[in-house]
Amino acid sequence: MTPQLRAIDGINPMDEGMRMAAMAGVTTVCTGPGSTNVLGGTFAAVKTWGDRIDNMIVKEAIGMKCAFGENPKTWHSKFTTSRMTTAFYLRQALAQAKEYLAKKEAAGDNPEKRPPLDMKMEALIPVLKKEIPLKAHAHAAQDFFTALRIAREFDVNITLEHVTEGHLVAEELAKENVPLAVGPTLTGASKFEMRNLSWQTPKVLAEAGCQVSIITDAQVIPQEFLPICAGIAVESGMDPFMALQAITINPARHCLIADRVGSLEAGKDADIVIADGSPLTIPTKVHYVLIDGKVIKRPEDSQLR
């Protein structure tokens, strides 16, 4: 249980993966702790170009990572022995944070009445206040609904990440009206809960009326292949415009940064990609990339895809 951890303290802006993402036209990424812990810490949205993370932040905290399914069970088998135990630990943390917040608010400006400082509880207050959502790692359909059930119990916002079996329960997910991030799909079914991995998933969910983003889970799939993932979704029947939205405005909305990025509109960051064809096809070459109005790639630069 590590809700107090912050993604910005672990990001290396000089990682080669960041440069390759930028050169391919991926100007902004959302990144954070993995899925071994029931609560992992806060995700951040950052630009992919720069040498100091403080100058690359779009939004420091966009979600609180939590995890369901096989990962917390496998990595912490002494403690999270079942899906029921994982759910219990998350409920317990949210209940404790709710009590902590109530004591803080009751104390008002009186320091003697405040509870002892608890950084774990402090980190969960933005979740309880609906300033950031729970960001739930879930591959299996049963885990979607456990995550949603807990979010409703505590009246907090939530997004679902991976959603591997989403196509099996698309109509139910559409009723929930929560953002869905689908992927990584350009990979094998590396564990049992991914046995229904399918390129049909983003298509089926989008057609059901869900807000769908396509993700790479880099470095599972290198970030520069994000447009190709959207292209394969199109080859599998997804509407091309829906696929483009799934790697632009939808993830911006998902990550609470649509006021800055995700579409070309007056007042937003000047993140612009110019290519010689559809970004969703493999032969297309990216010629220009601008991040915050600065040209970081020109035609004479080496092509990375």
Side-chain angles (χ1 to χ4, degrees):
M1 306 295 290
T2 56
Q4 74 277 18
L5 302 186
R6 302 178 185 180
I8 57 167
D9 298 323
I11 302 169
N12 176 13
M14 297 184 187
D15 187 301
E16 179 66 3
M18 295 282 268
R19 186 185 73 85
M20 294 180 73
M23 291 294 103
V26 180
T27 65
T28 307
V29 295
C30 177
T31 185
S35 50
T36 59
N37 291 357
V38 177
L39 277 168
T42 51
F43 265 54
V46 300
K47 296 298 176 74
T48 53
W49 193 256
D51 54 15
R52 179 175 176 176
I53 199 65
D54 305 80
N55 301 328
M56 300 159 63
I57 296 170
V58 179
K59 194 176 182 73
E60 182 176 327
I62 62 91
M64 172 62 66
K65 180 66 176 284
C66 61
F68 294 85
E70 299 305 316
N71 283 17
K73 277 181 59 185
T74 301
W75 290 94
H76 299 294
S77 56
K78 272 180 76 174
F79 306 102
T80 51
T81 54
S82 71
R83 281 174 160 80
M84 293 180 290
T85 315
T86 297
F88 158 72
Y89 277 119
L90 181 56
R91 281 191 178 97
Q92 181 184 59
L94 290 170
Q96 289 172 340
K98 192 173 181 179
E99 183 179 6
Y100 178 86
L101 176 59
K103 288 179 179 178
K104 275 191 70 173
E105 290 177 339
D109 295 328
N110 187 340
E112 294 181 359
K113 292 185 177 180
R114 288 181 200 151
L117 179 66
D118 187 327
M119 294 299 287
K120 290 188 176 186
M121 298 296 100
E122 290 287 335
L124 288 171
I125 288 175
V127 176
L128 296 175
K129 290 186 173 182
K130 296 187 174 181
E131 295 168 3
I132 61 173
L134 287 174
K135 191 174 179 65
H137 164 107
H139 287 283
Q142 69 184 99
D143 295 325
F144 308 159
F145 301 117
T146 299
L148 291 165
R149 190 179 311 118
I150 293 172
R152 302 296 177 250
E153 286 174 23
F154 288 90
D155 189 26
V156 298
N157 294 332
I158 192 167
T159 66
L160 297 180
E161 321 295 319
H162 306 307
V163 201
T164 303
E165 291 189 340
H167 57 289
L168 303 180
V169 288
E171 297 302 324
E172 289 297 322
L173 289 175
K175 293 175 189 175
E176 296 291 340
N177 194 31
V178 298
L180 308 176
V182 178
T185 316
L186 192 63
T187 182
S190 57
K191 46 195 170 184
F192 181 73
E193 62 186 356
M194 293 176 67
R195 65 194 181 280
N196 290 309
L197 187 75
S198 170
W199 282 106
Q200 292 284 312
T201 307
K203 165 189 179 291
V204 172
L205 289 171
E207 290 179 351
C210 300
Q211 179 186 296
V212 176
S213 301
I214 293 173
I215 60 172
T216 64
D217 216 21
Q219 293 293 326
V220 177
I221 303 166
Q223 190 68 46
E224 63 268 25
F225 296 141
L226 177 63
I228 300 304
C229 292
I232 299 174
V234 171
E235 288 295 312
S236 300
M238 191 176 191
D239 175 79
F241 187 63
M242 285 182 171
L244 184 62
Q245 289 178 310
I247 59 172
T248 54
I249 191 62
N250 283 0
R253 291 170 178 150
H254 189 115
C255 297
L256 310 178
I257 54 172
D259 60 324
R260 294 277 304 272
V261 298
S263 60
L264 295 175
E265 298 179 62
K268 290 194 177 185
D269 297 359
D271 287 11
I272 301 169
V273 180
I274 301 173
D276 61 7
S278 167
L280 309 183
T281 60
I282 291 174
T284 295
K285 288 184 170 55
V286 171
H287 290 297
Y288 288 92
V289 178
L290 288 79
I291 296 181
D292 294 329
K294 178 183 177 182
V295 179
I296 60 113
K297 180 181 181 179
R298 296 174 174 81
E300 59 267 27
D301 297 333
S302 61
Q303 296 293 333
L304 296 179
R305 75 169 189 87

